[in-house]
Amino acid sequence: MDQALTAGEWLFPVLTGLEFLPGEALTNGTNHGGTTTMSKVGFIGLGIMGGPMAANLVKAGHEVTGYNRSQAKVDQLVADGGKAAGSVAEAVRDAEIIFTMLPDSPDVENVVLGDDGVLANAKRGALLIDCSTIRPDVSRRVAEAAAEKGVRAIDAPVSGGEPKAIDGTLSIMVGGGTDAFAAAEAVLGAVGTTIVHVGPAGAGQTVKAANQLIVAGNIGLVAEALVFLEAHGVDTEAGLKVLGGGLAGSTVLDAKGAKMRNREFAPGFRLELHHKDMGIVQAAARDAGLSIPLGSLVSQLVAAAVAQGDGKLDHSGLLKQITRLNGRD
């Protein structure tokens, strides 16, 4: 079992972009020396994030077989050089490495733990990498069930949104045993550039919850700042540019500022999914006996935006809720 890390040791490297625990000599995927060992990969969930990730695994030289509920996503993977599966069982049966990228905790429970799911069909010795954003307790339960089947499992949620999924530059926070992490690090290098082992099973999801808390708060404040600038007749393009060069600058401001100015909310990460993630944050904070007043406020703003029909918009669409509150919609 891994030695427990403090909360600061878990969070600081991921939130600052630093890396630690670089891993041992690896046998799967593309290692840091640039050599490649092709692996048979099963990939379940080919949506906005999963599709580009699977395509990058193909580019890295892996044999990727994908399954998704909508056939169009599977067809796209085939066009990118992957293979199609007609079921979860078909996708994972011969796989050495299995990725799941699914919307919510019940989806992971059904797909991984179901009667004809991943663990019912995966071969002993396979490596399960769940990149979904789910509750930490579910990740721990999946890891325990996987161990009983002779399958190594890690929770490896990602951050960076669709652009970084496409570029293969995601930040990946990994929970699980050190041996499983060592086996996974190289193949994760095909989809991410900041890959950090943050602790035992469930720890990756805990850090991802912290990530979603920061991102939601940042989006809310960028929205408020933009409404503030507009109300005073300031050139918002110039205003956001100078803010981005100072202490107020952030990845969220760089990635979302211009789109928020132009009211372009095509989804890279939907508000309804961030609403789900804030529920994870709230539950985990309650379990730890914590008060997160700013997080609670932004969680309510996100919930209100979803309730008013904005759930399918990009999470930067929270701006619409802020403008409504100010009678400027």
Side-chain angles (χ1 to χ4, degrees):
M1 181 64 67
D2 297 327
Q3 183 178 355
L5 301 177
T6 68
E9 288 171 326
W10 283 3
L11 293 172
F12 185 77
V14 172
L15 300 182
T16 58
L18 299 177
E19 297 188 30
F20 68 100
L21 289 175
E24 303 167 1
L26 305 168
T27 58
N28 293 326
T30 304
N31 69 27
H32 292 139
T35 60
T36 298
T37 301
M38 186 177 75
S39 297
K40 289 185 176 180
V41 175
F43 205 111
I44 314 299
L46 301 170
I48 288 176
M49 299 294 288
M53 291 170 66
N56 282 328
L57 288 165
V58 172
K59 290 176 185 176
H62 301 288
E63 180 183 316
V64 181
T65 301
Y67 173 74
N68 197 74
R69 287 180 298 181
S70 58
Q71 185 61 37
K73 302 292 187 181
V74 179
D75 293 341
Q76 182 59 56
L77 176 62
V78 172
D80 291 331
K83 296 181 178 181
S87 66
V88 170
E90 185 181 349
V92 308
R93 190 170 291 124
D94 296 322
E96 299 161 297
I97 301 171
I98 301 161
F99 279 83
T100 48
M101 174 56 96
L102 301 164
D104 203 350
S105 300
D107 302 294
V108 172
E109 290 174 310
N110 290 336
V111 168
V112 176
L113 304 178
D115 290 341
D116 199 27
V118 170
L119 294 182
N121 291 280
K123 61 185 182 181
R124 292 186 66 85
L127 174 64
L128 172 60
I129 301 174
D130 179 34
C131 296
S132 317
T133 297
I134 61 174
R135 300 195 317 267
D137 64 294
V138 173
S139 287
R140 289 190 289 270
R141 188 156 65 252
V142 165
E144 291 169 1
E148 291 176 0
K149 295 284 190 176
V151 173
R152 297 165 294 172
I154 60 173
D155 48 295
V158 304
S159 180
E162 184 181 16
K164 292 195 176 228
I166 292 171
D167 293 344
T169 58
L170 291 164
S171 177
I172 307 174
M173 45 222 81
V174 181
T178 53
D179 290 345
F181 172 70
E185 189 181 17
V187 73
L188 288 173
V191 298
T193 49
T194 301
I195 305 163
V196 182
H197 187 205
V198 295
Q205 299 296 349
T206 301
V207 177
K208 180 60 186 289
N211 181 88
Q212 297 303 81
L213 172 62
I214 292 171
V215 171
N218 206 337
I219 287 175
L221 286 172
V222 171
E224 289 186 11
L226 187 55
V227 171
F228 178 78
L229 294 174
E230 290 173 343
H232 285 279
V234 171
D235 179 338
T236 55
E237 181 177 9
L240 292 185
K241 180 178 180 180
V242 71
L243 289 173
L247 193 57
S250 69
T251 300
V252 167
L253 182 58
D254 292 342
K256 306 292 184 180
K259 293 181 179 180
M260 292 169 78
R261 281 185 58 249
N262 297 322
R263 273 53 175 184
E264 296 174 356
F265 302 129
F269 184 74
R270 299 192 304 276
L271 260 171
E272 62 188 5
L273 291 177
H274 214 136
H275 176 45
K276 176 265 297 183
D277 292 350
M278 293 308 294
I280 293 172
V281 172
Q282 295 275 40
R286 184 170 59 250
D287 289 346
L290 299 178
S291 171
I292 49 169
L294 296 180
S296 296
L297 178 57
V298 73
S299 181
Q300 290 299 310
L301 291 170
V302 171
V306 171
Q308 293 179 68
D310 293 337
K312 302 297 183 185
L313 301 180
D314 185 77
H315 52 172
S316 58
L318 186 59
L319 173 65
K320 293 187 66 177
Q321 183 62 25
I322 302 300
T323 57
R324 277 193 292 263
L325 289 171
N326 285 283
R328 306 179 69 87
D329 193 18

